[in-house]
């Protein structure tokens, strides 16, 4: 269980898998033979296309400029698997302001699908990325919540656990980020973000089970020498060598990349600033993965300012530079 609380980022019980330096992590053993295939240059985020409606992009950027963009028509009606973002432009999505204790509630349970997030929460960011990469900007409305000045109606009328993310859909509200990214992928139109291949499905489950252990290992090293963090990032490097049909965890872009991206986005600049430790040094697969993720506009529009992330982590983990 991983959620964002008012005091900052938090997570629930430990996963069943725990890493030990003397124990082989599940995704470093039982390697299977993979066939190298040409990587399709596909768009990572697009609106679902039909034979009568031409899709458009709707994304956020810091400027107010709008870039009209129309992706190629899909070759068939078969669900499309995302590989990487290769688009040349996109239409900005104007993000609404965060709602606080003084804000009126939206018309809850009126048939509108809403995603309740915080712009700074990595768990909510996972679901936001998934929404974008499925091309659901017009199907799922963003409702940002100010976690430091949370409206009372959110707990009373929307989601009693009082956490983000939460998804209002079909007169129900669901929570928990990993559950929600799977739910959105399977219940909404758009390119598939989870593989059909049994070996990749199994590996995806192992990686998703490892993510809380990865988070704990890295964050627990913030006040130490960082050796444990190095082991954690070595594990990520090893995982990225499993499949050869693309630069992502499962070869092609998937929910696994979405699950890890918000945390690596934070760890990278923080460790570089505080520890002078570059997580990509000597890890070419990880460096390439970060580079490819930064081409994915469905992800990049959700990113925070790295400087703000560093300062937030310094406060959260009480890091003091001498």
């Amino acid at each position: 269980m991983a959620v964002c609380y008012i005091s900052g980022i938090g997570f629930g019980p430990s996963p069943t898998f725990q890493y030990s330096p003397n124990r082989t992590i599940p995704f470093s053993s039982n390697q299977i033979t993979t066939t190298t295939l040409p990587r399709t240059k596909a768009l990572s985020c697009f609106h679902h296309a039909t034979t009568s409606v031409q899709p458009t992009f709707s994304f956020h950027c810091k400027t107010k400029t709008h870039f009209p963009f129309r992706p190629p028509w899909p070759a068939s009606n078969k669900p499309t698997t995302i590989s990487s973002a290769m688009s040349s432009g996109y239409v900005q999505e104007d993000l609404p302001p965060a709602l606080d204790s003084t804000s009126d509630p939206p018309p809850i349970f009126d048939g509108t699908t809403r995603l309740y997030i915080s712009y700074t929460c990595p768990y909510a960011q996972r679901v936001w990325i998934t929404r974008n990469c499925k091309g659901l900007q017009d199907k799922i409305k963003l409702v940002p919540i100010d976690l430091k000045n949370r409206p009372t109606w959110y707990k009373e009328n929307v989601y009693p656990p009082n956490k983000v993310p939460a998804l209002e859909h079909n007169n129900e509200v669901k929570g928990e980020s990993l559950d929600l990214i799977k739910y959105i992928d399977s219940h909404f139109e758009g390119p598939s973000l989870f593989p059909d291949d049994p070996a990749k499905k199994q590996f995806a489950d192992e990686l998703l089970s490892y993510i809380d252990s990865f988070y704990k290992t890295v964050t627990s090293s913030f006040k130490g020498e960082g050796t444990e963090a190095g082991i954690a990032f070595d594990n990520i490097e090893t995982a990225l060598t499993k499949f050869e049909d693309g630069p992502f965890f499962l070869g092609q872009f998937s929910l696994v990349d979405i699950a890890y991206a918000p945390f690596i986005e934070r760890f990278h600049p923080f460790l570089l600033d505080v520890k002078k430790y570059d997580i990509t040094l000597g890890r070419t697969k990880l460096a390439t993965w970060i580079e490819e993720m930064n081409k994915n506009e469905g992800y990049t529009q959700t990113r925070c300012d790295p400087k703000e992330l560093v300062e937030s982590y310094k406060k959260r983990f009480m890091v003091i530079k001498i």
Side-chain angles (χ1 to χ4, degrees):
M1 181 183 298
V3 299
C4 282
Y5 296 95
I6 191 167
S7 59
I9 303 168
F11 51 86
S14 302
T16 55
F17 172 80
Q18 294 292 330
Y19 173 75
S20 169
N22 297 320
R23 178 179 177 183
T24 303
I25 59 175
F27 45 84
S28 66
S29 60
N30 300 321
Q31 299 287 326
I32 65 170
T33 301
T34 59
T35 302
T36 302
L37 300 173
R39 180 156 53 92
T40 304
K41 293 184 176 180
L43 300 170
S44 72
C45 309
F46 61 93
H47 284 234
H48 179 67
T50 67
T51 56
S52 61
V53 180
Q54 195 170 26
T56 59
F57 279 72
S58 180
F59 296 135
H60 169 68
C61 60
K62 291 184 177 180
T63 67
K64 293 298 181 182
T65 306
H66 286 69
F67 302 91
F69 179 76
R70 295 178 175 85
W73 294 105
S76 69
N77 291 328
K78 183 179 179 180
T80 305
T81 300
I82 292 174
S83 62
S84 63
M86 304 298 292
S87 60
S88 59
Y90 61 91
V91 177
Q92 170 191 337
E93 179 182 17
D94 292 324
L95 299 180
L99 303 182
D100 60 20
S101 61
T102 66
S103 304
D104 292 329
I108 301 163
F109 302 131
D110 64 346
T112 302
T113 301
R114 296 181 177 89
L115 175 59
Y116 297 88
I117 66 167
S118 162
Y119 289 135
T120 59
C121 172
Y123 301 105
Q125 188 181 2
R126 287 171 169 171
V127 192
W128 185 8
I129 297 168
T130 305
R131 167 217 187 235
N132 293 349
C133 290
K134 296 286 286 185
L136 298 170
Q137 290 87 340
D138 292 335
K139 302 289 186 180
I140 300 178
K141 183 177 180 180
L142 284 183
V143 182
I145 300 295
D146 183 346
L147 296 182
K148 295 182 179 180
N149 187 19
R150 207 173 311 213
T152 56
W153 52 257
Y154 182 66
K155 179 179 181 179
E156 293 172 354
N157 302 326
V158 180
Y159 193 48
N162 205 24
K163 309 167 185 176
V164 294
L167 181 71
E168 177 189 338
H169 183 234
N170 289 341
N171 293 322
E172 294 181 346
V173 178
K174 305 175 185 295
E176 300 304 326
S177 64
L178 292 181
D179 293 338
L180 289 180
I181 64 176
K182 295 175 184 178
Y183 181 87
I184 289 176
D185 188 45
S186 61
H187 285 76
F188 291 84
E189 64 187 20
S192 174
L193 296 172
F194 206 73
D196 294 325
D197 180 84
K200 290 190 174 185
K201 281 186 176 181
Q202 180 181 352
F203 193 50
D205 289 340
E206 293 173 359
L207 286 166
L208 293 175
S209 296
Y210 174 66
I211 194 165
D212 276 359
S213 182
F214 168 71
Y215 176 88
K216 290 180 180 179
T217 301
V218 175
T219 55
S220 65
S221 73
F222 285 170
K223 295 182 182 181
E225 296 301 321
T227 55
E228 289 298 313
I231 293 172
F233 288 113
D234 285 344
N235 292 343
I236 297 300
E237 180 75 6
T238 299
L240 287 167
T241 65
K242 176 85 169 182
F243 297 102
E244 298 179 357
D245 57 327
F248 302 102
F249 283 106
L250 304 182
Q252 301 300 298
F253 180 77
S254 72
L255 294 179
V256 177
D257 303 288
I258 290 173
Y260 276 87
F263 298 100
I264 294 178
E265 172 189 337
R266 286 156 173 77
F267 296 157
H268 190 189
F270 178 80
L271 287 170
L272 194 60
D273 181 271
V274 175
K275 299 288 186 179
K276 309 305 177 187
Y277 178 67
D278 186 353
I279 66 173
T280 66
L281 191 62
R283 301 185 182 99
T284 57
K285 294 289 186 179
L286 178 56
T288 299
W289 180 86
I290 292 173
E291 180 181 349
E292 290 298 317
M293 285 299 300
N294 286 334
K295 296 176 184 178
N296 185 322
E297 291 166 351
Y299 159 63
T300 57
Q301 67 170 297
T302 71
R303 292 183 60 185
C304 295
D305 184 332
K307 293 181 179 179
E308 293 179 3
L309 291 177
V310 169
E311 292 305 313
S312 174
Y313 261 40
K314 285 180 180 178
K315 293 177 182 178
R316 174 169 173 74
F317 295 100
M318 296 180 291
V319 173
I320 301 174
K321 295 180 66 176
I322 300 175

